[in-house]
Amino acid sequence: AFAPRIGVEVKVFDEVPGLVLLKSFMRKQKQLEVLQKARAVARAAHEVSLTRTRAKAISKAHNLESKETFVRVSLPTSDYPTFPNHEKSGVQGCRISCEHFSSYGDGHRLTYFRGSIPTIGLADSWLSDLVNLPWVSAELMQQRRQRSRDLESPAKWRMTLNHYPVTHCADATALKRCGFPWHKDLEANGAATMILALAESATLQFGRMHDDTVRQDGLLESGQHHGDGVHEVATVDVEPGSLLVITGAARWQFLHRVLAADGLG
């Protein structure tokens, strides 16, 4: 059984099996520290991407039907240290590589790391602590058995830094923070998805297609990204420092989206 530290509240959602919210998973002081370092990494990747003269690459594997492009970026590990890497990938000498999307989906910035993951102020044990969460470890073992994978091999990691900038609304009288359309995470992203809110609260919705089907890797027709044919099942508010764990049916059968919101990015 999971024994959370004092102050952590565990909330499950019966209507979306496998969805668990760990409220106040990270203490406030640590959340602010991690936020600062995550912003520094994301900002550095964005600034480097602006200096690239080579044409942007077209993403061949993403969870939206729309055409998405990115710039390959490398950052010095001396400035942005990484977790111990069992995959021996994602590092080029003393630099860490990533793919930076300056505008993804409805317009947010996305920086994608695989293999070598920047620590952003987290302890070296952070990744193993996540694997040891009961919902994550159970899902990992189940998926490995289904795919006849080695049950004892180290977990492979992917990390995405998502920055949702603010823009003026159509009437230019207020600021709006963009969202992320309906999608299901790529199968290649692994057995479980975990979302840690850092800057502002985020509101996510989980839903299913009205005909109860989901296309491979959650790809939808462009109109469906904005709700056509999707039945909303649950709404979850994820406050800064809280961790949303997505496993089981929530991971493989449900779609989810991030709602646009008023406020800072």
Side-chain angles (χ1 to χ4, degrees), residues 34-44 120 161 163 199-200 264-265:
V34 172
L35 169 61
Q36 182 182 23
K37 292 183 180 296
R39 278 179 167 166
V41 173
R43 185 181 301 114
I120 56 173
L161 296 177
H163 173 215
E200 298 286 332
L264 299 177

Side-chain angles (χ1 to χ4, degrees), residues 16-19 139 143 184-193 206 217 246-254 256:
V16 186
L19 183 64
E139 185 68 26
Q143 295 303 322
K184 180 165 71 72
D185 292 337
L186 294 173
E187 181 174 339
N189 281 355
T193 293
F206 287 76
D217 275 342
I246 307 174
T247 62
R251 166 70 176 95
W252 302 105
Q253 300 173 24
F254 283 78
H256 61 274

Side-chain angles (χ1 to χ4, degrees), residues 201-216:
S201 296
T203 300
L204 284 82
Q205 288 185 328
F206 287 76
R208 303 185 74 150
M209 298 298 296
H210 286 303
D211 59 6
D212 210 29
T213 62
V214 178
R215 292 174 60 191
Q216 182 180 3

Side-chain angles (χ1 to χ4, degrees), residues 26 30 33-34 37 83 118-126 196:
M26 182 176 289
K30 189 62 177 180
E33 176 189 344
V34 172
K37 292 183 180 296
F83 290 105
T119 60
I120 56 173
L122 297 164
D124 283 348
S125 64
W126 173 257
L196 178 67

Side-chain angles (χ1 to χ4, degrees), residues 2 25 123-134 136 157 194:
F2 174 61
F25 187 72
D124 283 348
S125 64
W126 173 257
L127 298 182
S128 59
D129 291 342
L130 293 181
V131 169
N132 289 329
L133 292 173
V136 177
W157 287 93
M194 286 159 278

Side-chain angles (χ1 to χ4, degrees), residues 140-153:
L140 180 60
M141 290 300 102
Q142 179 179 339
Q143 295 303 322
R144 285 181 169 180
R145 289 189 182 99
Q146 289 180 0
R147 292 162 171 77
S148 299
R149 303 282 178 82
D150 181 3
L151 300 183
E152 303 300 327
S153 62

